[in-house]
Amino acid sequence: MIYIFLADGFEETEAIATADVIIRGGSEVKLVSVTDTKTVTGSHGISVQADIMFEDSDYSDAEFLILPGGMPGTTNLAKHDKLIALLKKQNSAGKRIAAICAAPMVFGTNGLLEGKKAVCFPGFEEYLKGADVQSDKAITDGNITTGRGPGAALDFGLEIVSILHGAKKAEEVSKSMVYR
């Protein structure tokens, strides 16, 4: 199961495009609200209905935990103590976590990017504590995948599909979307 965590102020393109690409790749995705309601409003005023509330799962079946960026969505995710504990647990177990745009700062400020190659939205590099900051649209180092921003959401999703189902499947998805 792939879990994408939504807080008020999330970047809509990053959450929805990423979910869409991963679903096209053959994985099941659950949108998770970390707010007090399943309806979560993005940074551009688009409301999305999450599949589950944060408390509805123990995440033991998580293949990936994914954070979309956006402001103030990223800072709202960073304030959710149980989500931070879950990310740290997943990372410590060597299981996959991913973040795009401003959201890699959640990893960086919690010590999860030490010695890892990572990318983020331009201007947020200072929050990637200990990371070897790159300029790719999406990059994976070990168990951590990061992406640059809304314009890289398809690349980010395809990077995740490639990890889960192989490069050939990612290429099939890309072609089916008339992307590359």
Side-chain angles (χ1 to χ4, degrees), residues 1-3 27-28 59 61-65 90 95-97 164-165:
M1 179 68 62
I2 313 303
Y3 294 97
S27 292
E28 189 175 351
Y59 305 99
D61 62 346
E63 294 176 83
F64 257 101
L65 302 178
Q90 183 93 345
K95 294 182 179 178
R96 299 202 172 274
I97 59 175
L164 293 169
H165 304 288

Side-chain angles (χ1 to χ4, degrees), residues 108-109 111-118 125-133:
T109 57
L112 305 180
L113 294 178
E114 201 64 44
K116 300 276 188 180
K117 290 180 182 172
E125 294 86 357
E126 68 181 280
Y127 300 105
L128 304 187
K129 306 290 185 209
D132 177 6
V133 179

Side-chain angles (χ1 to χ4, degrees), residues 22-40:
I22 294 169
I23 291 166
R24 289 172 190 258
S27 292
E28 189 175 351
V29 173
K30 292 276 187 203
L31 299 177
V32 181
S33 172
V34 301
T35 70
D36 58 0
T37 177
K38 280 189 176 179
T39 302
V40 187

Side-chain angles (χ1 to χ4, degrees), residues 79-151:
K79 293 176 190 173
H80 196 281
D81 294 337
K82 289 181 181 176
L83 174 60
I84 300 305
L86 176 63
L87 291 166
K88 288 179 176 179
K89 178 181 175 185
Q90 183 93 345
N91 185 61
S92 292
K95 294 182 179 178
R96 299 202 172 274
I97 59 175
I100 185 170
C101 193
M105 73 182 272
V106 175
F107 296 170
T109 57
N110 284 285
L112 305 180
L113 294 178
E114 201 64 44
K116 300 276 188 180
K117 290 180 182 172
V119 297
C120 64
F121 191 79
F124 284 84
E125 294 86 357
E126 68 181 280
Y127 300 105
L128 304 187
K129 306 290 185 209
D132 177 6
V133 179
Q134 305 289 303
S135 60
D136 305 62
K137 287 187 175 187
I139 192 168
T140 299
D141 190 345
N143 64 310
I144 299 177
T145 300
T146 52
R148 291 280 305 236

